[in-house]
Structures are given as structure tokens and as C-alpha cells.
Amino acid sequence: MTTDTCTGTHLNATVNGEETEQSGADAEGASFVEYGIDDRPSLSKSTVLGLQHYLTMVGANVAVPLILAEAMGMPDTVTARFVGTFFVVSGIATLVQTTLGNRYPIVQGAPFSMLAPAIAIVTTVSVTGPEPAWQVRLQALQGAIIVAGAVEVAIGYFGIVGKLRQYLSPVAIAPTIALIGLALFNVGQITSATNDWWLLGLTLLLIVAFSQFLDRRHWAFRLFPVILGLAIAWAVAAALSVGGIYPPDAPGYVDLGTVAEAPPLLPIYPLQWGMPTFQLSFAIGMFAGVVASIVESFGDYHAVARLVGSGAPSERRINHGIGTEGLMNVFSGLMGTGGSTSYSENIGAIGLTGVASRFVVQVGALAMLVVGFVGYAGQLVVTIPDPVVGGLFVVMFAQIVAVGLSNLAHVDMNSSRNVFVVGFALFVGLAIPEYVAAVGDMATFREGLAGVPVLGAVLGTQVVANTTYVIGSTGMAVGGLAAVVLDNALPGTDEERGLARWERRAESPTAFRPIWRNWFGGDADSSDADSSDADR
């Protein structure tokens, strides 16, 4: 039996072919779990499994810096180091979150939710001094992230997010998590008109075959479906590229020459781009992106708990998770990247492979640190073609959608109010971001709000307009807010909304022990649960 000391529950796990048991309260959640949160596979196996977790988010952790680099006008000679910095920050943030934060096995990395305000900042910075324009823009972005991250630290460690938990039922959580996956259906790696659908389909077919059809034939297929699928698809694309079948402009082309040309080591350190600059309007706009990332992370925490069968996360665990993400955003700003948050793709990997080991994720984080500093390794990751990443995304995002909807198992779906709330939240969570995107960039959106009769003077202000734009362009934020408002406004019993059943399965408020209590002693008893804000 695998005991998770950070949740106080027993996980149902199948380790090396032998199924373990779990308590009845958790029997719904983790029957497929191969490695529970506290399991420690061998180092060699953990290394491969950890790399697999990180490969699920390589698309985002490469796409975000490349998009920002282009928006800032960053030269190619600097971009490789910029990408490497994102890998280093991701590795350190993951180690801190899994050790000092909520201790869930969630990879941390560059958030898409903070990308919109980041682009708005770097494209509106005025450049007057002798420094390169891209560097001035990046310094302004760093300052905005540091301030927004500091506010997130306060929100987390003062317990604000955790206190909101009582207003969040499975009716609200289900569409919020589902929209994390649904909102990403149109990423370029999947829907590009010039995509290589043969290569994308091959990647998808391999991952599905290994994880769903061949998983009982050999333990390697069950544990490594993602890394096997990616490796085979990449090898095929590389062979076609070397053989001249794929020309350099083909979406599936693998440029192996760039690996040999990469610098062996990249100098990465805090304040490497210079001192950050601070502007209030930029910080407020970035905070809107942080709010969206908090909503996403809140859903991620519940998704992981649902997958491993540990019960809904306690208020204390949520607070520590969000507070730690804020600290890592401050660190991200000092290092010069685009922020840090929990990665939903990693949760899809847990659902697909059944590997929920904290140790595995930590080993993967250490490997990502190496990838960040070693130019050859980072460049090799960058050579994974978009169609291969797209095939991976189809599986990962679909898994996230299913995990979100599985929360409805607690809910009375014969209730018309529940059906309405879920359906409405899903629809507006997809429709409103499309509308915001159709309006245009942040400046155009602000001009439109300024023209609204009577309310234009308020809506058109930079603070209100920028915040509305960022939240409105984030599907899980729109759908989540709609679901929370309706779920708490419409009459419904706790049993009908799933709160009663959820509460029976939730972890104890004292189940989560801050790591310093393990270091310095002290029991997380009931009196300790209410001791101080700092311990939440």
C-alpha cells in the first residue's frame, strides 16, 4: 500500500504489475495509478519518466519564449539563451513547488495566460536610450512580472484563494478544468493550415497505441507511451529530413545542423538582461494575467487530486501552492522570462501514464536544468517539429477535458440548474475569448470600451480595459467565473451541487504539513490548523 504523507490518504496503485489497495473513500479516483505521489521508482526509470513529463510541455516552454523574442525584436544569437533561461526557471520552480509548495507532482513552466499582457507590454514600451530595444522591453516585462508575482505571494500566503474554496463546488470546477483543454484546441501545432497531418497522425497513433492498446503487453508501453511516441515520430521526421524528402521549409523538417552549431554552455543567471524597470500600468496589466493563471492552477490542483484519488485539496495546500507560484513569478522576473505557473499538459500526462510520483517530476526538473544550461540539449528539444508536438497536444488536451468532466460524478446531473450552469460555462468559456480575439489587440479593445455610452469613462481606463482583455481572452477564467457566479446565485442543495459528497472525500485540513514542520517538528493537529496565516 502506498501512503501519501502529504495527503493523509491511501492511493490505489498498480506497481510492477501488482495492484495495491486503498480506502473506500478514495476508490473512485486512482485505480489506474502506476506510481503514487510518494512512490520512488529507480533513478534510471525516474529519469526517463521525468523527461516524459517535461516533453508534454515542451511546446509551450519553447513557444512562449519564441513568441516573446519575436515581439521584442530579439536577435537570433540571444534567443537560444532566452529559451534556455525558460528551461532553467521551469526546473527550479518545479523543484520549489514540489518540495516547499503544495507538493503535488505538477510541472511549473511558462504560462500562456500571461502571454497576452506580456506581448502588450513589450510592444508598447518606449525606447529612447542607447540600450538595444529588445533589452529595454524585456526589462519592463521583468518589472511587471516581479510586482504581479509579489501580489500573488500575498494572495497565497494570506489565505485569500483558500478562503474562496467554500464557494467552489464540482459544478464550477468541472467546466473550469475542461476549458483548460478545450481552450487550446486551436493552437498552431494542431490547426495550422500548412500542418503535416501525416506526421501529426503518426504521433497521435503511436501514443494511443502504446497507452491504450499495448499497455498490458509490456510495462514500457504502459509507463512511456509519450516519450516512445515522440521519439519514434521525431526519428521518422529526422530521417525524412536527412533524406531530402522533407525540404527545409516543410513543417516536419528537423534541422540537425542547428544542434551542432549550438553553444556548448549558456551563461544563465539573475539580472542577466540588466535591471528591471517598473511601471504601474504594466504591473496591473500583468496582474490580470496572474489572476487567470491562479484560476488555472486552482483547477490543476483539483485535477491532480482527482486523478490520484486523494480528495479535494485543503485550503492550506491551495494557499501554499499559489503563494509558491507567486514566489516563482518573482524569481522568473529576476531571471528574465515570461512568468511561471502550473502546467495543465503535465496533468494530462498523469492521466495518460498513471505516473503521479513527486520524485519522478523532481528528477525531470533536474534534467530540465541541464537542458537549460547545455546549448546542445536545448537545441535538440527545439528541433521537435510542430506536427509531432501537435499530435502530443491532441492526446494531452483531450485527457485534461475528460479529467475536468469526471468531477461531475459527484453532481446530480438530473438537476436542470446543474445542466444549465455547466453548459453555459463551457459555451461562454469558448465564445468570449473568440470575440476578444476578433476585436484585435489590447489597444483596440480599450478604444472600443471607451466608446461605450455612459460607462466608457470607466471601462476605457487602462486598468479596467487591460484586466478585462486578459481575463476575457482566457477561456478557463471566463468559464470558471461564470460557473462560480451562477452556481452560488441559483438555488441548489449541497447534495445536488456535489458539495456534500465532495466534502466527504476531501482531505483533512490538517493532512497537509508545511515542509518546515517536517524539518523542525510539530504536529499538524486541529489546533495548528487555525494557528496563523503564515502557516496556511
Side-chain angles (χ1 to χ4, degrees), residues 292-339:
S293 76
I294 290 175
V295 173
E296 182 177 358
S297 295
F298 189 92
D300 288 343
Y301 300 168
H302 282 79
V304 169
R306 173 68 177 163
L307 281 171
V308 302
S310 65
S314 65
E315 178 178 331
R316 177 181 290 179
R317 188 189 296 276
I318 293 170
N319 291 334
H320 273 265
I322 298 302
T324 304
E325 288 194 18
L327 286 174
M328 291 302 96
N329 268 320
V330 174
F331 174 68
S332 166
L334 292 173
M335 293 294 290
T337 69

Coordinates of all heavy atoms in Angstrom, one line a residue, residues 292-339:
A292 N -5.6 35.1 -14.1 CA -6.0 34.0 -14.9 C -5.2 32.7 -14.6 O -5.7 31.6 -14.6 CB -5.8 34.4 -16.4
S293 N -3.9 32.9 -14.3 CA -3.1 31.7 -14.0 C -3.4 31.1 -12.7 O -3.3 29.9 -12.5 CB -1.6 32.1 -14.0 OG -1.2 32.8 -12.9
I294 N -3.9 31.9 -11.7 CA -4.4 31.4 -10.5 C -5.6 30.5 -10.6 O -5.7 29.4 -10.1 CB -4.7 32.6 -9.5 CG1 -3.4 33.2 -9.0 CG2 -5.4 32.1 -8.3 CD1 -3.6 34.5 -8.2
V295 N -6.5 31.0 -11.5 CA -7.7 30.2 -11.8 C -7.3 28.9 -12.4 O -7.9 27.8 -12.0 CB -8.7 31.0 -12.7 CG1 -9.8 30.1 -13.1 CG2 -9.2 32.3 -12.0
E296 N -6.4 28.9 -13.3 CA -6.0 27.7 -14.0 C -5.3 26.8 -13.0 O -5.5 25.6 -13.0 CB -5.0 28.0 -15.1 CG -4.5 26.8 -15.9 CD -3.6 27.2 -17.1 OE1 -3.4 28.4 -17.3 OE2 -3.1 26.3 -17.7
S297 N -4.4 27.3 -12.1 CA -3.7 26.5 -11.2 C -4.7 25.9 -10.2 O -4.5 24.7 -9.8 CB -2.7 27.3 -10.4 OG -1.7 27.8 -11.3
F298 N -5.7 26.6 -9.7 CA -6.7 26.1 -8.8 C -7.4 24.9 -9.4 O -7.6 23.9 -8.8 CB -7.7 27.2 -8.5 CG -8.7 26.8 -7.5 CD1 -8.5 27.2 -6.1 CD2 -9.9 26.2 -7.7 CE1 -9.4 26.9 -5.1 CE2 -10.8 25.8 -6.7 CZ -10.5 26.2 -5.4
G299 N -7.7 25.0 -10.7 CA -8.3 23.8 -11.4 C -7.3 22.7 -11.5 O -7.7 21.5 -11.4
D300 N -6.0 23.0 -11.8 CA -5.0 22.0 -11.9 C -4.8 21.2 -10.6 O -4.7 20.0 -10.6 CB -3.6 22.6 -12.2 CG -3.6 23.1 -13.7 OD1 -4.4 22.7 -14.5 OD2 -2.7 23.9 -14.0
Y301 N -4.8 21.9 -9.4 CA -4.7 21.2 -8.2 C -5.8 20.2 -8.0 O -5.6 19.1 -7.5 CB -4.7 22.2 -7.0 CG -3.6 23.3 -7.0 CD1 -3.7 24.4 -6.2 CD2 -2.5 23.2 -7.9 CE1 -2.7 25.3 -6.2 CE2 -1.5 24.1 -7.9 CZ -1.6 25.2 -7.0 OH -0.6 26.2 -7.0
H302 N -7.1 20.6 -8.3 CA -8.2 19.7 -8.1 C -8.1 18.6 -9.1 O -8.5 17.4 -8.8 CB -9.5 20.5 -8.3 CG -9.9 21.3 -7.1 ND1 -9.4 22.5 -6.8 CD2 -10.8 21.0 -6.1 CE1 -9.9 23.0 -5.7 NE2 -10.8 22.1 -5.3
A303 N -7.6 18.8 -10.3 CA -7.5 17.8 -11.3 C -6.5 16.7 -10.9 O -6.7 15.5 -11.0 CB -7.0 18.4 -12.7
V304 N -5.3 17.1 -10.3 CA -4.4 16.2 -9.8 C -4.9 15.3 -8.7 O -4.8 14.1 -8.6 CB -3.1 16.9 -9.4 CG1 -2.2 15.9 -8.6 CG2 -2.3 17.4 -10.5
A305 N -5.6 16.0 -7.7 CA -6.2 15.3 -6.6 C -7.3 14.3 -7.1 O -7.3 13.2 -6.6 CB -6.9 16.3 -5.7
R306 N -8.0 14.7 -8.1 CA -9.0 13.8 -8.7 C -8.3 12.6 -9.3 O -8.8 11.4 -9.2 CB -9.8 14.5 -9.8 CG -10.8 13.7 -10.6 CD -11.9 13.2 -9.7 NE -12.9 12.4 -10.5 CZ -13.8 11.6 -10.0 NH1 -13.9 11.4 -8.7 NH2 -14.6 11.0 -10.8
L307 N -7.2 12.8 -10.0 CA -6.5 11.7 -10.7 C -5.9 10.7 -9.7 O -6.0 9.5 -9.9 CB -5.4 12.3 -11.6 CG -5.9 12.8 -12.9 CD1 -4.7 13.6 -13.6 CD2 -6.4 11.8 -13.9
V308 N -5.3 11.2 -8.7 CA -4.6 10.3 -7.7 C -5.6 9.8 -6.6 O -5.2 9.0 -5.8 CB -3.4 10.9 -7.1 CG1 -2.4 11.4 -8.2 CG2 -3.8 12.1 -6.2
G309 N -6.8 10.3 -6.6 CA -7.8 9.8 -5.6 C -7.5 10.2 -4.2 O -7.9 9.5 -3.3
S310 N -6.9 11.4 -4.1 CA -6.5 11.9 -2.7 C -7.6 12.8 -2.1 O -7.4 13.3 -1.0 CB -5.2 12.6 -2.8 OG -5.3 13.7 -3.5
G311 N -8.7 13.1 -2.8 CA -9.6 14.0 -2.2 C -9.3 15.4 -2.6 O -8.1 15.8 -2.9
A312 N -10.3 16.3 -2.6 CA -10.0 17.7 -3.0 C -9.0 18.4 -2.1 O -8.9 18.1 -0.9 CB -11.4 18.5 -2.9
P313 N -8.1 19.2 -2.6 CA -7.0 19.8 -1.8 C -7.6 20.7 -0.7 O -8.6 21.4 -0.9 CB -6.3 20.6 -2.9 CG -7.2 20.9 -4.0 CD -8.1 19.7 -4.0
S314 N -6.9 20.7 0.4 CA -7.4 21.5 1.5 C -7.0 23.0 1.3 O -6.2 23.4 0.4 CB -6.7 21.1 2.8 OG -5.3 21.3 2.7
E315 N -7.6 23.9 2.1 CA -7.4 25.3 2.0 C -5.9 25.6 2.2 O -5.3 26.4 1.4 CB -8.2 26.0 3.1 CG -8.0 27.5 3.1 CD -8.8 28.2 4.1 OE1 -9.9 27.7 4.4 OE2 -8.4 29.3 4.7
R316 N -5.2 24.9 3.1 CA -3.8 25.2 3.4 C -3.0 24.8 2.2 O -2.0 25.5 1.8 CB -3.4 24.4 4.6 CG -1.9 24.6 4.9 CD -1.5 23.7 6.1 NE -2.1 24.3 7.3 CZ -1.9 23.7 8.5 NH1 -1.2 22.6 8.6 NH2 -2.4 24.3 9.6
R317 N -3.3 23.7 1.5 CA -2.5 23.2 0.4 C -2.6 24.2 -0.8 O -1.6 24.5 -1.5 CB -2.9 21.8 -0.1 CG -1.9 21.2 -1.1 CD -2.5 20.0 -1.7 NE -2.6 18.9 -0.7 CZ -1.6 18.1 -0.4 NH1 -0.4 18.3 -0.9 NH2 -1.8 17.1 0.5
I318 N -3.8 24.7 -1.0 CA -4.1 25.6 -2.1 C -3.3 26.9 -1.8 O -2.6 27.4 -2.7 CB -5.6 25.9 -2.2 CG1 -6.3 24.7 -2.7 CG2 -5.8 27.1 -3.2 CD1 -7.9 24.8 -2.6
N319 N -3.4 27.4 -0.6 CA -2.6 28.6 -0.3 C -1.1 28.5 -0.5 O -0.5 29.4 -1.0 CB -2.9 29.0 1.2 CG -4.4 29.5 1.4 OD1 -5.0 29.9 0.5 ND2 -4.9 29.3 2.6
H320 N -0.6 27.4 0.0 CA 0.9 27.2 -0.2 C 1.2 27.1 -1.7 O 2.3 27.6 -2.1 CB 1.3 25.9 0.5 CG 1.6 26.2 1.9 ND1 2.9 26.4 2.4 CD2 0.9 26.2 3.0 CE1 2.9 26.6 3.7 NE2 1.7 26.5 4.1
G321 N 0.4 26.4 -2.5 CA 0.6 26.3 -3.9 C 0.6 27.6 -4.6 O 1.6 28.0 -5.4
I322 N -0.4 28.5 -4.4 CA -0.5 29.8 -5.0 C 0.6 30.7 -4.5 O 1.2 31.4 -5.3 CB -1.9 30.4 -4.8 CG1 -3.0 29.5 -5.4 CG2 -1.9 31.8 -5.4 CD1 -2.8 29.2 -6.9
G323 N 0.9 30.7 -3.2 CA 2.0 31.5 -2.7 C 3.3 31.2 -3.3 O 4.1 32.1 -3.6
T324 N 3.6 29.9 -3.5 CA 4.8 29.4 -4.1 C 4.9 29.9 -5.5 O 6.0 30.3 -6.0 CB 5.0 27.9 -4.0 OG1 4.9 27.6 -2.6 CG2 6.3 27.5 -4.5
E325 N 3.8 29.8 -6.2 CA 3.8 30.2 -7.7 C 4.1 31.7 -7.7 O 4.8 32.2 -8.7 CB 2.4 29.9 -8.3 CG 2.2 28.4 -8.6 CD 1.0 28.1 -9.5 OE1 0.6 29.1 -10.2 OE2 0.6 27.0 -9.5
G326 N 3.6 32.5 -6.8 CA 3.9 33.9 -6.7 C 5.4 34.1 -6.5 O 6.1 34.9 -7.2
L327 N 6.0 33.4 -5.6 CA 7.5 33.5 -5.4 C 8.2 33.1 -6.7 O 9.2 33.8 -7.0 CB 7.9 32.5 -4.3 CG 7.5 32.9 -2.8 CD1 7.9 31.8 -1.9 CD2 8.3 34.2 -2.4
M328 N 7.8 32.1 -7.4 CA 8.5 31.7 -8.6 C 8.2 32.7 -9.7 O 9.1 32.8 -10.6 CB 8.0 30.3 -9.0 CG 8.5 29.2 -8.0 SD 10.4 29.2 -7.9 CE 10.6 30.2 -6.4
N329 N 7.1 33.4 -9.7 CA 7.0 34.5 -10.7 C 7.9 35.6 -10.4 O 8.5 36.2 -11.3 CB 5.5 35.0 -10.6 CG 4.6 34.3 -11.6 OD1 5.0 34.0 -12.7 ND2 3.4 34.0 -11.2
V330 N 8.2 35.9 -9.1 CA 9.2 37.0 -8.8 C 10.6 36.5 -9.2 O 11.3 37.3 -9.8 CB 9.2 37.2 -7.2 CG1 10.3 38.1 -6.9 CG2 7.9 37.8 -6.8
F331 N 10.9 35.2 -9.0 CA 12.1 34.7 -9.4 C 12.2 34.7 -11.0 O 13.3 35.0 -11.5 CB 12.3 33.2 -8.9 CG 13.5 32.5 -9.4 CD1 14.7 32.9 -9.1 CD2 13.3 31.4 -10.3 CE1 15.8 32.2 -9.5 CE2 14.4 30.7 -10.8 CZ 15.7 31.1 -10.4
S332 N 11.1 34.4 -11.6 CA 11.1 34.4 -13.1 C 11.4 35.8 -13.6 O 12.1 36.0 -14.6 CB 9.7 34.0 -13.6 OG 9.5 34.3 -14.9
G333 N 10.8 36.8 -12.9 CA 11.1 38.2 -13.3 C 12.6 38.6 -13.1 O 13.1 39.3 -14.0
L334 N 13.2 38.1 -12.1 CA 14.6 38.4 -11.8 C 15.5 37.7 -12.9 O 16.5 38.2 -13.3 CB 15.0 37.9 -10.4 CG 14.4 38.7 -9.3 CD1 14.7 38.0 -7.9 CD2 14.9 40.2 -9.3
M335 N 15.1 36.5 -13.3 CA 15.8 35.8 -14.3 C 15.6 36.3 -15.7 O 16.4 36.1 -16.6 CB 15.5 34.3 -14.2 CG 15.9 33.6 -12.9 SD 17.7 33.5 -12.8 CE 18.1 32.3 -14.0
G336 N 14.4 36.9 -15.9 CA 14.1 37.5 -17.3 C 13.4 36.5 -18.2 O 13.8 36.3 -19.3
T337 N 12.3 35.9 -17.7 CA 11.4 35.1 -18.5 C 10.0 35.7 -18.5 O 9.8 36.8 -18.0 CB 11.4 33.6 -18.1 OG1 10.8 33.5 -16.8 CG2 12.8 33.1 -17.9
G338 N 9.0 34.8 -18.9 CA 7.7 35.3 -19.0 C 6.7 34.9 -18.0 O 5.5 34.9 -18.2
G339 N 7.2 34.4 -16.8 CA 6.4 34.0 -15.7 C 6.4 32.5 -15.5 O 7.1 31.8 -16.2

